[in-house]
Amino acid sequence: MKIISALFVIAIVITWSVHQYQLEAAAPVRDTNQPVQTTSNQPIHYKNKVIVLMYHHIDVKESGATISPSRFNDHMKVLKDNGYKVISVEQFVDFMQNKIKVPNNAVVITFDDGYESFDQYAVPILKKYNFTATHFIIGSSSDQQNVHTKHLTWDTMRKLKAEGFSFYSHTYNQHNYASFDQVGHKMGPMLSNPIYLPEKGRVETNAEYKARIEEDTQLIEKRLKEELGNTLQLIAFPYGVYNPTVKQIEKNAGVTLFFTTNPGINKQGADEIFRLNAGTPTLTGSKFLNMLEKYQ
C-alpha cells in the first residue's frame, strides 16, 4: 500500500513538472538587450529644448516686475501639475554646450537683481515643490546695501548655495541708466554705450568705455569667487541690453552664457539665452500655462 502511495505522488510531481515546462516553452522570450517599456502619464510638451523663466521681486503688494508669493506659488504649481521638469542652471549650461541631455519639458528658473525677497518668499515655495533656481545679483548692492529695497547678503547667499541654489552676475555696478550727452537728452542703460562724464565735460572715449566694462566684469567675478567660490561664469544683462563689444569683453573674462530678456525656447549650441518674463502681476496661473504652451 505504501509503495502504491509513493508511486502516486511521483506521478503527480512528474505531471506538474511537464506542465510547467510546456508553459515556459510557450512563453515569449524577451530580448534583454532591448529596454523595458514603461508607461507614463506625464505629457511631452517638447524634447531637447529648455524654457528659461525670469522673475525679479516678490512682495505681497504687486506692481511692475513685482509679484505676490501666492502668484509665484501658482506658477510653480502649474509647472509641477503639468509635467515640467525644473533643472539647475548648471545642468542647463552642460546641455547648451552639448555635454548632457535634459529631461523632456525642462525648465530653468532665474531671478534678477538680488532682492532679499528671494530668500524670504521664493525659496520656501521652491523647496515646497523640490525646485531649484539661480539668481543674477548686482554686486555693489550686496556689498554696500545702499539701495531702498533690501538685497541679499553674502552670508544669505552662502546659506542658500549650500541648499542647492546658485548666484551669478548681473554686473557689479552697471545696472543703471546714464546720460549719453551733456544735456541728458539721450539716456540709456550704462552697459550699452559710452556715457557722459560730468567731471570731464565730455562723453567717454571708446577706450574708456571698454575699460569701464572690463573693470566691472572683473570685479563682479572676483567677488562671486571670493564670497561663493564660483568657478562657472554667467551673466544676465541689465535691462536685457548688450552689444558685440560688451559680449566680447564678457567672453574674454570667461563668461560662457549670456542671459537676455528676449522670449523664446533654447536649443543646444547657442550662447545667448532666451527667457520668458513670468514675473508680472498680469500673469495668472492659466495665462502662465498658456505662455508655456506656445512652445509645445
Side-chain angles (χ1 to χ4, degrees):
M1 187 67 179
K2 291 182 179 180
I3 295 174
I4 293 173
S5 297
L7 290 173
F8 180 74
V9 171
I10 292 171
I12 290 174
V13 171
I14 292 172
T15 301
W16 180 84
S17 299
V18 169
H19 178 66
Q20 286 298 107
Y21 173 80
Q22 288 171 338
L23 287 175
E24 292 174 2
V29 177
R30 183 174 67 84
D31 182 358
T32 56
N33 292 321
Q34 295 299 317
V36 178
Q37 297 298 315
T38 59
T39 59
S40 173
N41 293 325
Q42 294 290 358
I44 297 176
H45 304 302
Y46 50 84
K47 296 181 178 182
N48 302 316
K49 299 175 186 176
V50 180
I51 284 176
V52 180
L53 301 174
M54 176 178 64
Y55 293 94
H56 287 81
H57 187 35
I58 297 181
D59 191 77
V60 291
K61 184 178 180 180
E62 296 186 318
S63 63
T66 301
I67 64 170
S68 66
S70 61
R71 190 177 302 280
F72 183 67
N73 181 78
D74 289 346
H75 291 183
M76 299 303 100
K77 188 174 187 301
V78 165
L79 293 177
K80 195 75 170 183
D81 290 349
N82 290 275
Y84 290 92
K85 304 297 181 184
V86 174
I87 64 172
S88 70
V89 78
E90 292 78 20
Q91 289 172 289
F92 175 62
V93 171
D94 284 343
F95 166 74
M96 293 301 287
Q97 296 176 347
N98 300 295
K99 295 177 182 177
I100 67 167
K101 294 182 178 180
V102 291
N104 299 331
N105 315 328
V107 170
V108 172
I109 300 170
T110 69
F111 280 74
D112 284 4
D113 296 343
Y115 293 117
E116 196 272 342
S117 64
F118 176 71
D119 182 45
Q120 183 179 0
Y121 294 118
V123 167
I125 294 170
L126 290 164
K127 287 181 177 179
K128 172 183 172 181
Y129 293 99
N130 198 29
F131 290 166
T132 188
T134 198
H135 206 135
F136 295 101
I137 68 158
I138 303 166
S140 61
S141 297
S142 288
D143 269 347
Q144 300 166 20
Q145 294 295 327
N146 59 347
V147 285
H148 180 265
T149 304
K150 189 176 180 182
H151 280 59
L152 292 163
T153 66
W154 294 109
D155 283 343
T156 298
M157 284 186 272
R158 276 188 287 274
K159 171 185 76 79
L160 292 175
K161 185 172 181 180
E163 296 172 359
F165 301 94
S166 57
F167 303 88
Y168 295 97
S169 170
H170 204 33
T171 75
Y172 186 80
N173 194 27
Q174 301 298 305
H175 196 293
N176 287 295
Y177 270 62
S179 296
F180 299 152
D181 61 17
Q182 183 174 1
V183 292
H185 288 166
K186 295 180 180 179
M187 295 190 69
M190 293 178 66
L191 207 64
S192 64
N193 284 281
I195 63 175
Y196 182 73
L197 303 173
E199 68 279 9
K200 295 185 178 180
R202 61 173 175 80
V203 174
E204 285 177 319
T205 65
N206 282 333
E208 289 171 330
Y209 168 54
K210 289 179 181 179
R212 170 167 60 87
I213 306 305
E214 286 172 354
E215 182 180 0
D216 187 273
T217 301
Q218 295 293 339
L219 182 53
I220 182 60
E221 296 302 339
K222 177 175 179 285
R223 296 297 291 129
L224 286 166
K225 186 173 182 179
E226 288 174 344
E227 297 289 348
L228 303 178
N230 278 20
T231 54
L232 182 62
Q233 293 171 231
L234 312 172
I235 187 172
F237 293 116
Y239 314 106
V241 177
Y242 60 102
N243 58 40
T245 298
V246 170
K247 184 178 176 182
Q248 189 58 55
I249 290 171
E250 296 284 348
K251 268 190 172 182
N252 293 345
V255 175
T256 56
L257 290 187
F258 307 88
F259 289 73
T260 74
T261 57
N262 300 324
I265 192 167
N266 297 282
K267 302 176 184 179
Q268 281 185 315
D271 63 3
E272 295 181 6
I273 306 306
F274 298 121
R275 290 193 292 172
L276 305 185
N277 181 18
T280 171
T282 62
L283 207 61
T284 63
S286 60
K287 288 182 179 179
F288 176 66
L289 181 58
N290 290 339
M291 178 180 73
L292 298 174
E293 287 177 340
K294 290 179 181 179
Y295 299 95
Q296 286 191 172

